[in-house]
Amino acid sequence: MSVVPDEARSVVGKSHAHDSARQHVTGAAVYLDDMAEAAGALHAALVKSPHAHARIRGIDAARALGQPGVVALVVAADIPGVNDVGPILHGEPALAVDVADYVGCPVAVVVAETHEAARRAADLVDVDWEPLPAVLGYEDAIAAQSYVAAPQHLLYGDAAAALAAAPLTLKGALDIGGQDHFYLETHIAVATPHEGGQMHVWTSSQHPTEVQKHVALVLGAPQAAVTVEVRRMGGGFGGKESQPTIVAAIAAVCARKTQRPVKLRLDRDDDMIVTGKRHDFRVEWEAGFDHDGALSALRMQLAARGGNVADLTPAVMTRAICHATNCYYVPNVDLLGLSLKTNTVSNTAFRGFGGPQGMIAGETVIDSIARHLGKDRDAVRRANYLSAERGLQTPYEQTVSDMIAADLMARLEIDADLPARQQAIAAFNAANRVKKRALATVPVMFGISFNMPSLNQGGALVHVYTDGSIQANHGGTEMGQGLYTKVAQVVAETFGVPMTFVMPTSTRTDKVPNTSATAASSGSDLNGAAARRAALTIRGRMADVAAELWGVSADAVTFRDGEVSSGNHVMPFAELANRSWLKRVSLSAAGFYATPDIHWDQTTLKGHPFYYFAYGAAASEVEIDTLTGETRCLRTDIIHDCGASLNPAIDLGQIEGGFVQGMGWLTMEELYWDGDGRLRTHAPSTYKIPGSRDAPPDFRVHLLENAPNRQETIFRSKAVGEPPLMLGMSVWLAIRDAVAACAANPRAQIPLDAPATPERILKAIEAVRA
């Protein structure tokens, strides 16, 4: 078979609309709650703990069961299998047994004929509580050595000796807030029992296999008896990686008990109270450096509030540690990660998976050193970038072979006209007492692959039908990011047919088994490569049929523009598909891909965990009102590295959306728990996410051109889901600079944590003026 050269590709590398774009904008896209309910379907509602920590002395459901339409009450004792949905560690129950350990913890479920009846009855279940002491904050958890997993300690060089010998040292601390995923579609599952103990589950999940495993576990059934299906999610952002197992497992237990289909859908308040979020961190650090700002040592303690159980916290902490030095070389490092156990909802995966928290901690160190020295922040960065002269090894001992962050930053300075704009901002600030502006940049170097090597695998199943149409199924899930579209492009390009020939189908565990989560920005890398291998297998068989028919070598057969040809011979793709069937040639194939050249030692936190790095650079200009603390991002310029983009339009959308979500995390999305461990910001009325008018009105995003991935990824593309979120740090750094414009001492440190809410900004202004 002849291979189509890069410049002649007709599908991959082009901007194609998202496969569901028209359905999204017209409201025709079907989500789980839109699906027609099966005959006899029931609805479930959770009975939740009002206490952060309390013993369950008894449950009286008499009042609830007496309500019209109520069918059953389900408690932990009704679970026929093992009451555990822990993704990494055991001991994470779907329903509390003796003790509820956070406000919102599910302790029972009411099943009724309607959603409203189930919710009303859930409020009537009487639970006899014995309140217990609760651990809520960092200080209490650290003092009690209360951890959901063992501390993680990365040592590189001799940080203690280097700190002692450093010409200059500086200490600091930073509180980094969490973030709610606020996906448009809340958690939902529909479980339907079938004969022989089988169960089908529709779920809004990034990880169908994880749901399958835990539904099987709670039911006491083999995984083969459980089929999990996902067509699309109304957003995920990591919040639907491990958390859907709780909702799906409860729905399945209810369906098993009632022998009827059961839907469990969380409303917005319950979703925010019951399910986990981005981890909030408290970081304390000490750095050693010279008079140019070049780091010789860094000691850092990263404490993350894990919540009531481990969930994915250990893995999140690992990635935070790996990204604490961003794209800088630090010869001596001591990083300690503490995964704290508190009586709050278990925090979980969120876009970036700990990388953003680690990276902003590292950028705070750079920023603080620059202020201490009275130097430009980018000058301090240049003194610390990974380089052949300074060093190319990360603290976890992976050598970086394609470090382009410094080049991107240099180009950004020119393209965004930064020097002239800085002068204009200085003039503006001199002329304005109330409004202050600032412009800040940030580089990003984000590792691509799961830190756990075994997760770096993907599968696909491709069918070609006799009319030439193609069905593409794979282990990845679609949450609006365009994965189905990109994989369809890969399949269409491989067969040399238009996109209209390829039909993506829902992700199902009975089609592609044992899949990894669609996470870690690896969806296209893993599933696209697996789908291409499946398509190549079928294409090879079809080429053999054509070669035999025309009396040519199979290598001389070309697939392009919906036709198959060799020399003067040509026929439509559909005709060859039918001829292949007539020749009794299989037109179906499974494909599998495993990421090569990666390894990791979780004990020492050393290895080669990432197949490659994705890079980006951003510059953001902000304005603050020193009387109200309000902020506005006026302009953002981004250069982002997508390798050889599979779909530039979709990648641009991911960059824009990721940036705005990162900006929201660091400026306005504030999670607030009261002294009793109750989340007070659990609805749009109290939790503010960015709207369309919060995005920079002048928003310039550029994909780095002529920069194919040096690693053999699918068509030399790079991941784009998570890295752009961290570009939002440029807004937070610019706010710090705007606050500094109010300072009596230009070298003053800026006491501003994240998110930079109006209240925090006003306090910071007051502090620097004093």
Side-chain angles (χ1 to χ4, degrees):
M1 292 175 293
S2 59
V3 178
V4 178
D6 292 358
E7 63 273 11
R9 290 175 187 158
S10 58
V11 183
V12 162
K14 312 296 182 183
S15 290
H16 293 270
H18 189 287
D19 76 288
S20 298
R22 185 176 296 276
Q23 295 96 306
H24 287 158
V25 299
T26 61
V30 178
Y31 296 90
L32 293 197
D33 207 36
D34 301 321
M35 294 172 59
E37 294 176 2
L42 300 171
H43 295 260
L46 301 178
V47 179
K48 307 177 296 295
S49 169
H51 301 285
H53 195 201
R55 182 169 288 108
I56 304 167
R57 294 192 292 206
I59 299 176
D60 183 355
R63 287 197 302 152
L65 292 172
Q67 297 299 304
V70 174
V71 174
L73 179 82
V74 174
V75 296
D78 293 308
I79 294 175
V82 179
N83 183 14
D84 196 338
V85 292
I88 297 178
L89 303 178
H90 296 299
E92 303 185 17
L95 291 172
V97 182
D98 299 314
V99 174
D101 48 12
Y102 73 95
V103 173
C105 179
V107 299
V109 191
V110 171
V111 185
E113 299 287 347
T114 67
H115 178 69
E116 292 75 16
R119 289 196 62 189
R120 285 195 299 268
D123 290 336
L124 297 176
V125 174
D126 296 310
V127 182
D128 184 11
W129 298 103
E130 179 188 342
L132 300 171
V135 175
L136 300 176
Y138 296 102
E139 295 86 355
D140 292 344
I142 292 173
Q145 295 188 345
S146 176
Y147 306 133
V148 295
Q152 299 180 42
H153 203 178
L154 172 59
L155 296 173
Y156 182 73
D158 189 339
L163 281 168
L168 297 169
T169 61
L170 189 65
K171 294 182 179 181
L174 178 69
D175 279 354
I176 308 165
Q179 185 179 23
D180 190 84
H181 304 85
F182 217 94
Y183 24 65
L184 294 181
E185 179 194 35
T186 58
H187 278 281
I188 183 171
V190 181
T192 303
H194 291 282
E195 64 180 35
Q198 295 186 57
M199 187 72 66
H200 178 276
V201 181
W202 281 103
T203 177
S204 183
S205 172
Q206 297 170 233
H207 200 347
T209 291
E210 188 83 4
V211 171
Q212 179 195 32
K213 287 180 179 179
H214 287 96
V215 167
L217 186 65
V218 299
L219 294 180
Q223 292 175 30
V226 178
T227 298
V228 174
E229 186 166 3
V230 181
R231 173 54 184 93
R232 62 170 58 86
M233 288 164 273
F237 311 118
K240 294 179 179 176
E241 184 173 344
S242 64
Q243 303 283 292
T245 59
I246 304 168
V247 176
I250 291 173
V253 170
C254 293
R256 172 65 62 84
K257 180 171 182 175
T258 61
Q259 283 301 299
R260 292 166 66 177
V262 173
K263 178 193 290 185
L264 174 55
R265 169 173 63 85
L266 305 185
D267 70 6
R268 179 64 61 187
D269 294 88
D270 282 353
D271 190 278
M272 293 186 74
I273 291 169
V274 172
T275 67
K277 312 172 192 322
R278 184 188 296 281
H279 292 73
D280 48 325
F281 272 60
R282 173 165 293 171
V283 178
E284 298 175 355
W285 56 269
E286 181 178 10
F289 51 96
D290 64 18
H291 291 277
D292 292 326
L295 283 157
S296 58
L298 177 63
R299 178 189 291 140
M300 184 180 288
Q301 176 180 285
L302 302 99
R305 181 155 55 169
N308 66 313
V309 293
D311 192 77
L312 296 170
T313 298
V316 168
M317 179 56 72
T318 300
R319 187 167 276 262
I321 289 172
C322 286
H323 286 81
T325 53
N326 195 5
C327 50
Y328 310 115
Y329 176 74
V330 187
N332 301 282
V333 171
D334 181 339
L335 301 176
L336 176 64
L338 304 178
S339 301
L340 304 179
K341 178 179 175 66
T342 55
N343 292 118
T344 51
V345 62
S346 172
N347 283 322
T348 190
F350 199 130
R351 196 175 195 170
F353 204 78
Q357 295 96 316
M359 202 174 290
I360 195 173
E363 286 299 325
T364 301
V365 173
I366 294 291
D367 180 61
S368 300
I369 291 172
R371 296 185 193 281
H372 182 77
L373 296 174
K375 287 183 172 290
D376 177 71
R377 187 167 43 234
D378 284 334
V380 174
R381 286 178 175 140
R382 287 191 291 272
N384 285 286
Y385 282 131
L386 289 155
S387 65
E389 297 76 25
R390 183 167 168 80
L392 286 168
Q393 193 175 66
T394 66
Y396 48 91
E397 298 184 355
Q398 176 166 343
T399 298
V400 180
S401 60
D402 62 347
M403 211 320 254
I404 61 171
D407 295 336
L408 291 183
M409 291 287 282
R411 176 172 169 179
L412 181 68
E413 182 176 7
I414 297 170
D415 290 358
D417 196 19
L418 299 186
R421 290 171 59 197
Q422 290 284 22
Q423 290 180 2
I425 287 169
F428 176 91
N429 289 341
N432 288 270
R433 191 173 65 88
V434 173
K435 300 289 183 70
K436 298 294 181 183
R437 291 183 178 177
L439 172 62
T441 60
V442 74
V444 165
M445 183 182 90
F446 191 78
I448 304 298
S449 292
F450 291 95
N451 271 80
M452 183 182 293
S454 61
L455 297 178
N456 294 286
Q457 56 177 294
L461 180 64
V462 175
H463 306 311
V464 175
Y465 294 92
T466 55
D467 65 352
S469 62
I470 302 164
Q471 193 178 91
N473 189 277
H474 51 84
T477 56
E478 177 60 55
M479 61 197 92
Q481 85 279 35
L483 176 61
Y484 276 19
T485 304
K486 286 186 172 182
V487 174
Q489 286 178 261
V490 168
V491 172
E493 186 70 55
T494 304
F495 284 116
V497 298
M499 279 279 284
T500 52
F501 279 46
V502 183
M503 175 67 69
T505 61
S506 60
T507 305
R508 292 177 57 111
T509 55
D510 59 351
K511 281 193 173 183
V512 180
N514 310 319
T515 59
S516 296
T518 305
S521 301
S522 62
S524 296
D525 286 357
L526 299 179
N527 299 288
R532 178 160 170 80
R533 290 185 175 186
L536 285 171
T537 299
I538 300 170
R539 192 180 79 176
R541 297 170 187 162
M542 294 176 70
D544 288 340
V545 172
E548 181 182 357
L549 176 66
W550 294 330
V552 299
S553 166
D555 291 336
V557 177
T558 298
F559 292 72
R560 184 166 173 78
D561 296 332
E563 294 182 332
V564 185
S565 62
S566 181
N568 293 327
H569 303 286
V570 63
M571 73 170 59
F573 178 83
E575 182 180 341
L576 181 59
N578 190 58
R579 284 178 177 268
S580 298
W581 176 77
L582 291 171
K583 289 284 188 178
R584 295 183 294 179
V585 170
S586 173
L587 294 174
S588 176
F592 180 79
Y593 173 80
T595 307
D597 305 325
I598 53 175
H599 58 88
W600 182 247
D601 185 330
Q602 186 60 31
T603 302
T604 62
L605 302 182
K606 301 289 177 68
H608 192 285
F610 306 123
Y611 189 37
Y612 63 89
F613 294 90
Y615 298 89
S620 292
E621 183 176 344
V622 305
E623 181 178 281
I624 68 171
D625 187 318
T626 62
L627 298 181
T628 66
E630 293 174 286
T631 64
R632 184 80 170 97
C633 183
L634 304 175
R635 172 178 165 180
T636 291
D637 295 77
I638 291 173
I639 302 176
H640 198 75
D641 166 33
C642 295
S645 172
L646 292 174
N647 188 318
I650 283 178
D651 286 351
L652 282 169
Q654 285 292 291
I655 295 165
E656 292 167 353
F659 171 85
V660 171
Q661 191 170 50
M663 179 182 72
W665 165 50
L666 296 174
T667 61
M668 65 184 70
E669 297 188 44
E670 185 175 28
L671 293 165
Y672 179 78
W673 278 267
D674 66 18
D676 294 320
R678 292 174 296 184
L679 179 65
R680 291 302 196 178
T681 51
H682 53 77
S685 57
T686 51
Y687 185 81
K688 176 71 171 73
I689 66 170
S692 58
R693 288 187 289 182
D694 294 305
D698 190 348
F699 200 0
R700 310 182 189 193
V701 180
H702 183 80
L703 301 187
L704 183 65
E705 67 281 349
N706 302 318
N709 197 337
R710 297 183 189 181
Q711 300 290 357
E712 294 185 13
T713 53
I714 186 69
F715 291 107
R716 300 286 179 168
S717 61
K718 281 192 175 185
V720 72
E722 293 171 300
L725 182 135
M726 282 144 281
L727 297 173
M729 293 187 297
S730 61
V731 176
W732 183 75
L733 290 168
I735 292 172
R736 287 169 70 93
D737 286 352
V739 170
C742 304
N745 175 8
R747 294 171 67 169
Q749 295 297 330
I750 308 302
L752 183 64
D753 293 321
T757 59
E759 295 88 347
R760 286 198 175 107
I761 290 171
L762 290 176
K763 289 180 180 178
I765 291 172
E766 182 179 359
V768 299
R769 280 178 172 167

